[in-house]
Amino acid sequence: MQVPIKRFIESVPGGMMVVPLLAGALIATFFPGTPKFFGSFTGALFSGALTILAVFYVCMGASIDFRATPYIVKKGGTLLAVKVGIAIVLGLIFGRVLGEAPVAAGMFAGLSTLAVVASMNDTNGGLYMALMGQYGRPRDVGAYTIMSLESGPFLTMVTLGVAGLSAFPWQTLVGAILPLLVGMIIGNLDREMRDFLSRAIPVMIPFFAFALGAGLDLSKVWQAGLLGLAMGVAVVIVTGIPLFFADRLTGGTGVAGVAAASTAGNAAAVPAIVASANPAYADAAGPATILVAACVVVTAILVPIATAWTARVIGRTEETDAEAEPSGASDAVPAQRAGSR
């Protein structure tokens, strides 16, 4: 008898991140003594998030090819710059108002500069590539090889520093990106190592998600309710509109930009890593993890809808343009196909 566990988990938006995270949080909330009671390897599963993430980023780096085509560099670099640029602007604004601490009470309880920056900085790569495979062009899929540099806490730490908040020692900044760089070097020196390490990326997601969840108290989750929903919607709108126009400026239809307006599942790990590097963010890390996890779910639902709508509308536009100007027909074909799906 086979139980479709994987199929069920993947039916939940951001399931491989959200379901294990929720499982860890449930155990931590109702059976908080479990790690200490069992100890050994079982206990390590509850407390090993940073170690698992270090390995995860090595494998992620190995999947990035230095020999990307000029189009991929231009497209991916532009979307990366816009996404991170928006996070920097918001970091400056919220940093002036909130500093490092989260809002203590009221309907915005738990909101922090850390939560805002972490939710805006990182794109859900799997979602982006799946949407580009359906609505975009093959070369747009490859743009994520550049955008994947968003992964991890490095750019979030840089953004918080630019915002004038607590700075991080250079060793901490280098240490945050070093596993990714080591992976990139290994993967580009040996293609077989790239294939070998890349296969481990999806496998490790549920494990570090579980360990992160084990540090959450679900009695406080209600605080993320409407606020988490609002933040998810804000990620799609605030990043989606500039990304749409950035994509158009680099020769795209705008669909790739909308597809990138999401929050990556591994972004939920960033607040804990940032807090471990700088205790000034310790109070904000827990609520920020919950809010970012909420953004993962909300954007995973909204972005496919927004992308499909954009592809349908742009497809009609390109079709009209193609009829008026035959020389542009070759560029219109992908958009027409995208709009018909």
Side-chain angles (χ1 to χ4, degrees), residues 49-71:
L50 293 182
T51 302
I52 300 172
L53 279 165
V55 180
F56 174 80
Y57 289 125
V58 172
C59 297
M60 176 69 77
S63 69
I64 302 173
D65 193 344
F66 285 142
R67 299 174 300 176
T69 65
Y71 176 86

Side-chain angles (χ1 to χ4, degrees), residues 216-230:
L216 301 177
D217 183 353
L218 284 181
S219 64
K220 300 178 181 178
V221 168
W222 65 270
Q223 296 178 358
L226 291 177
L227 180 58
L229 175 63

Side-chain angles (χ1 to χ4, degrees), residues 153-211:
F154 176 74
L155 288 176
T156 297
M157 291 181 180
V158 171
T159 301
L160 293 171
V162 171
L165 302 177
S166 296
F168 296 85
W170 70 266
Q171 298 96 324
T172 300
L173 292 174
V174 173
I177 201 173
L178 194 57
L180 193 75
L181 293 176
V182 169
M184 291 173 66
I185 293 171
I186 293 173
N188 282 272
L189 288 177
D190 187 346
R191 189 173 299 173
E192 291 184 0
M193 283 298 292
R194 170 182 296 163
D195 295 338
F196 172 70
L197 293 173
S198 297
R199 287 194 294 268
I201 294 174
V203 174
M204 277 183 282
I205 291 175
F207 289 99
F208 74 67
F210 177 83

Side-chain angles (χ1 to χ4, degrees), residues 129-147:
M129 288 186 284
L131 291 172
M132 285 298 93
Q134 182 175 1
Y135 298 109
R137 294 173 287 194
R139 56 182 180 172
D140 288 329
V141 176
Y144 187 70
T145 58
I146 305 300
M147 295 166 63

